[in-house]
Amino acid sequence: MSASTPGLTRRSAFRRAALESVSGLPRQFWWLWTSTLVNRLGAFVATFLALYLTVERGYSASYAGLVAALHGLGGVISSVGAGVMTDRLGRRPTMLIAQLSTAASVLLLGFMTDPVAIAVVAGLVGMASNASRPAVQAMMADIVAPEDRVRAFALNYWAINLGFAISSTAAGLIAEHGYLALFVGEATLVLACALVVFWKLPESRPAQSAPGGPGGPGGPGDGATGPAPAPVSMLTVLRDGRFMTVVGLNLLLALLFQQAYVSMPVSMGQDGFSSAQFGMVIAVNGVLVVLLQIPVTRFIEHRSPALLLIGSALLAGYGFGLTALAGSVAMYAVAVTVWTLGEIINSPTQMGLVVRLSPLHGRGRYQGMYTLSWSVASLVAPLLGGVVIDQYGADVLWAGCAAVGTVAAVGYGLLLRGLPEEEGTGAVAAGRPAVGTQESAEQGSSSGRGREAGAPVGAGEPVA
């Protein structure tokens, strides 16, 4: 009896920790999480586009690189536009437009044979597939209580990686029966994602309050009246020095993380390693994210975002820096482990910080600008990494990664000094966001934990 007690205790503790990780989040969040998972389960085309163009269609590697760059450029263009749509049209309409456009353009790409047409449609796919991100992140910020957002963003990031891991494996098997099946399969799953949004996700965009405006329990403002907030434009975002600095620092880290998919396989190939060995090494990243994202987030979710972002920047920079010392598959795996820990810490912390720096009625635009940093990195990183390796060698690139991580860590340390607690009080100056102040407005409402002004009734209810 006594021998089995420790085992039962450990299982009970694990079960309790798992329940705490997913409890207290609104039902609407879980439908949004489901739509993310379904969407990522169908992420076939971007992963296998280069192989499709070179193996199936017989085009050159240079042409495949051009198409990939146009796909990334489409994402750059749509990031800002989708952010504006998210604030003007709403989260739900933006997601539906993006998902329906993605399904149509992906299916069309599968039937294109002319090289110019393929390149143009690939750019459209990049635009459409990237357009839902600001809306998803803004809706998540709308419906989840401030103290739960880091956990919610981590769970969503976990769904993205879980879906990607499954889809990558499935895509390889599906491609054996013809690449067209990949395009049809992705279009079908994106349509399924759109159906989840259409049937299960009500609009969450906060209502604009106005003097003498409607109130009442559960309604916009919950009976409170006040001046309508000053409009937020893209110029407002660009003038927000602190936020734009965060975007710039995130761009530095995004440039590092993108090296894993371009420069690292090139470096391993130059060292005589095979593509199968690279696959084993990069798989460490996906496995660690799936296994560690939730427990690590439980450990970090109530800690200082400044310290977490400094630590994640150092882990990312020096993790890639370790690649210069890698002479075996095991050492490459160690390097991947180090920068993956930085990624696991950075993602939910950074997204939570972006929400704290965003005014309530400008979340779409702010999320669009944040998404833009990732899109720019996906476009610039392959070119930058390739030039550095060709001109100076891979070791210089990896040493540069360590330097970039250090610069980002110092930047976060200087920028986030004196960052107020998330439950701090304050007021948002007309048209200008202040750190954490929109959270005060949300918590000041008597409509209940996790529900903001203008959010649909039931958005803050616990999961059944």
Side-chain angles (χ1 to χ4, degrees):
M1 181 70 177
S2 59
S4 63
T5 301
L8 291 173
T9 302
R10 284 193 295 270
R11 286 195 294 272
S12 177
F14 178 80
R15 187 181 301 109
R16 184 169 60 253
L19 289 174
E20 290 174 356
S21 296
V22 300
S23 64
L25 295 170
R27 182 182 294 108
Q28 192 174 351
F29 165 80
W30 288 109
W31 283 116
L32 187 60
W33 183 91
T34 300
S35 72
T36 297
L37 179 61
V38 172
N39 192 26
R40 296 307 297 176
L41 286 172
F44 301 144
V45 172
T47 306
F48 282 79
L49 185 59
L51 283 175
Y52 165 72
L53 293 174
T54 54
V55 175
E56 180 77 0
R57 292 295 185 185
Y59 292 114
S60 66
S62 298
Y63 175 77
L66 173 64
V67 172
L70 289 173
H71 184 277
L73 180 62
V76 171
I77 294 171
S78 69
S79 296
V80 174
V84 174
M85 287 174 59
T86 296
D87 284 336
R88 288 189 175 180
L89 298 181
R91 285 63 160 139
R92 184 172 178 265
T94 301
M95 281 190 279
L96 287 171
I97 291 170
Q99 288 156 0
L100 293 174
S101 300
T102 299
S105 58
V106 163
L107 189 61
L108 180 63
L109 182 60
F111 291 96
M112 292 295 99
T113 56
D114 180 76
V116 175
I118 290 174
V120 170
V121 177
L124 294 176
V125 171
M127 290 180 64
S129 61
N130 199 59
S132 63
R133 293 178 185 178
V136 169
Q137 292 163 357
M139 179 176 279
M140 203 170 300
D142 294 339
I143 64 180
V144 176
E147 63 269 26
D148 291 330
R149 283 184 186 143
V150 170
R151 181 159 56 99
F153 282 127
L155 286 166
N156 194 66
Y157 191 66
W158 183 79
I160 290 171
N161 282 275
L162 178 62
F164 178 76
I166 296 173
S167 69
S168 297
T169 303
L173 299 174
I174 294 171
E176 293 181 357
H177 301 284
Y179 278 89
L180 181 59
L182 293 180
F183 295 91
V184 175
E186 176 161 344
T188 301
L189 285 172
V190 173
L191 283 176
C193 179
L195 290 175
V196 172
V197 172
F198 182 76
W199 280 328
K200 295 296 183 179
L201 287 176
E203 179 56 57
S204 69
R205 181 177 56 165
Q208 299 279 352
S209 60
D222 199 27
T225 61
V232 178
S233 66
M234 289 308 302
L235 188 59
T236 308
V237 182
L238 293 172
R239 286 176 173 173
D240 187 344
R242 173 175 260 183
F243 176 78
M244 290 305 298
T245 304
V246 169
V247 171
L249 293 172
N250 184 70
L251 175 60
L252 292 180
L253 294 183
L255 288 171
L256 295 184
F257 290 127
Q258 290 293 327
Q259 301 306 320
Y261 308 102
V262 180
S263 299
M264 195 168 77
V266 171
S267 178
M268 290 185 68
Q270 290 180 347
D271 289 341
F273 294 99
S274 67
S275 58
Q277 288 171 314
F278 167 71
M280 292 171 57
V281 168
I282 200 62
V284 172
N285 171 256
V287 170
L288 288 177
V289 170
V290 171
L291 292 179
L292 298 182
Q293 184 70 70
I294 294 176
V296 168
T297 300
R298 279 179 53 80
F299 177 75
I300 68 173
E301 63 178 324
H302 298 302
R303 301 180 187 274
S304 165
L307 292 177
L308 293 173
L309 289 170
I310 291 169
S312 68
L314 292 174
L315 286 169
Y318 287 93
F320 281 101
L322 282 174
T323 308
L325 306 177
S328 65
V329 170
M331 191 60 195
Y332 272 106
V334 169
V336 170
T337 299
V338 174
W339 61 255
T340 297
L341 290 174
E343 178 187 1
I344 289 171
I345 295 170
N346 178 269
S347 179
T349 308
Q350 185 89 281
M351 287 188 284
L353 177 63
V354 168
V355 173
R356 290 177 65 178
L357 294 174
S358 307
L360 184 62
H361 297 284
R363 280 178 176 160
R365 289 173 172 85
Y366 274 68
Q367 290 289 352
M369 184 59 69
Y370 171 68
T371 302
L372 179 63
S373 64
W374 285 101
S375 300
V376 170
S378 68
L379 182 62
V380 173
L383 303 175
L384 184 63
V387 169
V388 173
I389 290 176
D390 286 342
Q391 297 294 323
Y392 306 103
D395 288 349
V396 172
L397 175 66
W398 304 128
C401 288
V404 169
T406 303
V407 170
V410 172
Y412 280 122
L414 295 174
L415 181 71
L416 301 180
R417 287 183 301 176
L419 180 70
E421 294 296 325
E422 194 149 12
E423 284 72 33
T425 59
V428 179
R432 295 181 60 195
V435 178
T437 54
Q438 75 274 19
E439 319 302 359
S440 306
E442 293 159 10
Q443 292 181 346
S445 170
S446 60
S447 57
R449 179 174 178 265
R451 183 180 299 159
E452 298 176 359
V457 175
E461 296 173 359
V463 179

